[in-house]
Every structure is written in structure tokens, then in C-alpha cells.
Amino acid sequence: MKRFIAPFILALMLTACGLRPLYSGGSTGAVASTLVSIAVEPIQGKNGWLMRNALNDRLGTPRNDNSRFRLVVALDDQIEGFGVRADDTVTRERRTLRARYQLILSSTGETVLDATAGADAGIDVVSSEYATIASENTALENLTQRVADQIVTRLSLYAGGE
């Protein structure tokens, strides 16, 4: 009998925890309708092009040119070498991508959200320069996806009223 009471009590406690689905309402819910109303401003450079595309993929295309919000993103992309051999050659690199983003209300120009996101990746430096450059580019593509996920998650929390 005691084996059945404990799970029952835990189930009752779980329903009172206050959790609610972030994307409730589906594509017509508050979060989804807010995300689709965000226009991502152009971002400089190759990393900016990758980031803007990743954000647009996740946010969806604004329904019209009069978006409720503008998203302004500034990127900081760094590659630093470490893991130095006795002959001063670098054996390992770290690529760091940081983004400062601001969500701006289009009608008033007021900044309603100002935050940062970032990620880093390790890169092996090999004897082939081509392979090292390809690894650096792959790391940038992966970091862009991870940072875009972080940004959209934070925007979703803002839209959900957190």
C-alpha cells in the first residue's frame, strides 16, 4: 500500500509546481507570434552572415516589413593558440564566439532586452594548413548555431513573460 501512496503524492505535488509550457498555443501563441515579429538587422562579416541566417531560420520570416521588434547583434570572434610545442608551433586553438544582442521595440526605439550569449570550441592544429582552416570554419559554423540557439531561447523567455 505504501508503494502506491508515495508516487500518488509526488504526482499531486508536481501538478502544483507552477510549470507551464513555453510554446503553449502553438504557432498562434504569444511566444511564436512574438518571435515571428522580430526582424534581424544585418550583421557584418562572414560570421555575421552565418549568425543572421541561423537566427532567421529559428525565428521565421517576419510577416511584413513593419516588424514589432528589431534584433541588433554585435559579434566578437576570436581565435587563440595554446598547446605550444618546444619549437614554438601551436598544436591547439580555441575559437570563441560572443554575441551582444539587443531587442528593440520598433515603434519607440526602446531597448527591451539587452543580453549576451557565447560559446567556444577547441580546434586541433595539424600539419595541413587546409585542414586547419577547414576545422576553423567548421567550428565557426557550429558556434554560430549554438549561439543562435541561446539567443532564441532568451528571446522566447522574454516573449513568454519570464
Side-chain angles (χ1 to χ4, degrees):
M1 182 73 167
K2 290 180 183 180
R3 286 192 302 188
F4 297 111
I5 294 174
F8 181 71
I9 291 173
L10 287 174
L12 288 177
M13 289 174 41
L14 184 61
T15 61
C17 71
L19 292 177
R20 58 186 165 81
L22 184 61
Y23 293 103
S24 63
S27 63
T28 59
V31 173
S33 62
T34 299
L35 292 181
V36 79
S37 70
I38 298 173
V40 181
E41 296 288 314
I43 310 167
Q44 294 294 319
K46 176 184 176 181
N47 55 6
W49 179 80
L50 289 168
M51 178 62 70
R52 186 167 189 243
N53 285 342
L55 288 169
N56 281 332
D57 287 346
R58 286 158 177 76
L59 295 173
T61 306
R63 293 189 178 111
N64 55 32
D65 292 335
N66 298 327
S67 301
R68 283 180 40 206
F69 297 99
R70 292 182 306 120
L71 183 64
V72 177
V73 181
L75 296 176
D76 179 29
D77 183 18
Q78 304 271 335
I79 298 178
E80 62 180 315
F82 63 98
V84 181
R85 289 188 182 137
D87 63 350
D88 286 336
T89 58
V90 174
T91 60
R92 191 100 170 122
E93 293 177 337
R94 173 176 290 134
R95 185 162 207 159
T96 306
L97 184 64
R98 301 280 179 253
R100 178 176 183 224
Y101 57 97
Q102 297 174 313
L103 187 63
I104 300 169
L105 194 58
S106 295
S107 59
T108 63
E110 175 190 2
T111 301
V112 294
L113 178 65
D114 189 350
T116 59
D120 64 347
I123 302 165
D124 287 329
V125 178
V126 295
S127 60
S128 168
E129 188 174 332
Y130 175 79
T132 302
I133 291 171
S135 294
E136 290 172 353
N137 288 333
T138 300
L140 176 61
E141 292 169 8
N142 293 337
L143 291 173
T144 301
Q145 298 297 320
R146 287 173 38 200
V147 172
D149 285 339
Q150 291 175 23
I151 292 172
V152 172
T153 299
R154 181 62 182 97
L155 293 174
S156 299
L157 289 172
Y158 167 79
E162 296 294 318

